[in-house]
Amino acid sequence: MRRLTVMLLSNLAASLALAAPTPPAGEAEQQAQLDQDIPQLLEQDAIPSVSIAQIRNGKVVLFAAYGEQSDGVPATPATLYNAASLTKPLTAEIILRLVSKGEIELDEPMDRYWLDPDIAADPRHALLTPRLALSHRTGFPNWRDGKEGLRILRQPGVKWGYSGEGYRYVAHFAENKSGQDFEELAQTYLFKPLAMTETSYSSKDWFKGRIAVPANAAGEAVQPQFASRFNAADLLYTTAYDYGLFIAGVLADQGLSPAVARERGKIQVSMMDEMCQGKLAESCPPNAGFGLGWQILAFKDETLLMHTGKDEGVFTFAYLNRTSRDGAVILTNSDNGYKIVLPVLERLNSSPAFLRYLRGQIQ
């Protein structure tokens, strides 16, 4: 799974279970397979726990948790995971819903409402737009330097360069233009409409006793990280079921105008050079790149959107298939979490072309 990481380069249990839809026969069989296989896979790869949600025909049809969220405490569907970089697609969706409502424009200069003091003397700040931030073309590094602060490393709009700072920047812009805190915007435009009651950008009292404690590659616990104030690119906490509701909302283009939904599904910048050179080309789609919040894989007969997340002791994964309207969420509290992604997707009968692509990326 090395390439998979590089290419983006992620007391309520009873009530959730009662609220769950009755799985169709196919999902019941798949869950039985997961119940049989996942505990052994967790043990062999020193992964404390995994939480899974499956989306089929635009609805969450299966969700389950396996292993331990912390030493001696079983993981349940109510266990909260650090989504890591799976935070970014949520941030992108909030921005796109604001665009759809006419509150902001996708291509407007952001410096009219937000200009980071670190780049005030660089005239290239005038080129920064929400579109460039969501498609990782701001020219920013992934994270600002602790001593030098934020810098524009290359001309905005020219080249793809993964940047959490770009997402933080566009969130600050949205705050300043709307006059609302970004977490308020998240509640208004995304969490409440999708009934995502178990998701937060910052630490809350209701997190207590529900955290999936991160673990290193040896299976040893490491200190969880939390945000006291929102980080638009990282450290959002959620459940697999809640994130599955988000995937279902994306598949339905909920809250987006038709024009904005089309833009989200377009490849804004090619990533073929990064992803599909040499032997990797054998399993690659004809076209691949980054859209607005998601990596896009345009196969011959289907188009998929995906994203991964990686923090210390955390690996997360999510995808959706625009053609079949299926998808999955896989949240782990382990540096080894990437090792369980393919086995889970295989047991969920994910797209053969997608599975072939992922296998190719890890060879």
Side-chain angles (χ1 to χ4, degrees), residues 124-143:
R124 294 177 294 180
H125 66 66
L127 301 174
L128 298 172
T129 66
R131 185 192 299 273
L132 296 188
L134 299 184
S135 57
H136 293 290
R137 291 182 290 159
T138 57
F140 291 151
N142 190 13
W143 300 115

Side-chain angles (χ1 to χ4, degrees), residues 89-90 93 190 194 196 242-251 294:
L90 292 168
E93 197 73 4
L190 191 62
L194 292 178
M196 295 174 64
D242 246 34
Y243 208 95
L245 294 177
F246 166 62
I247 296 291
V250 174
L251 283 167
W294 297 90

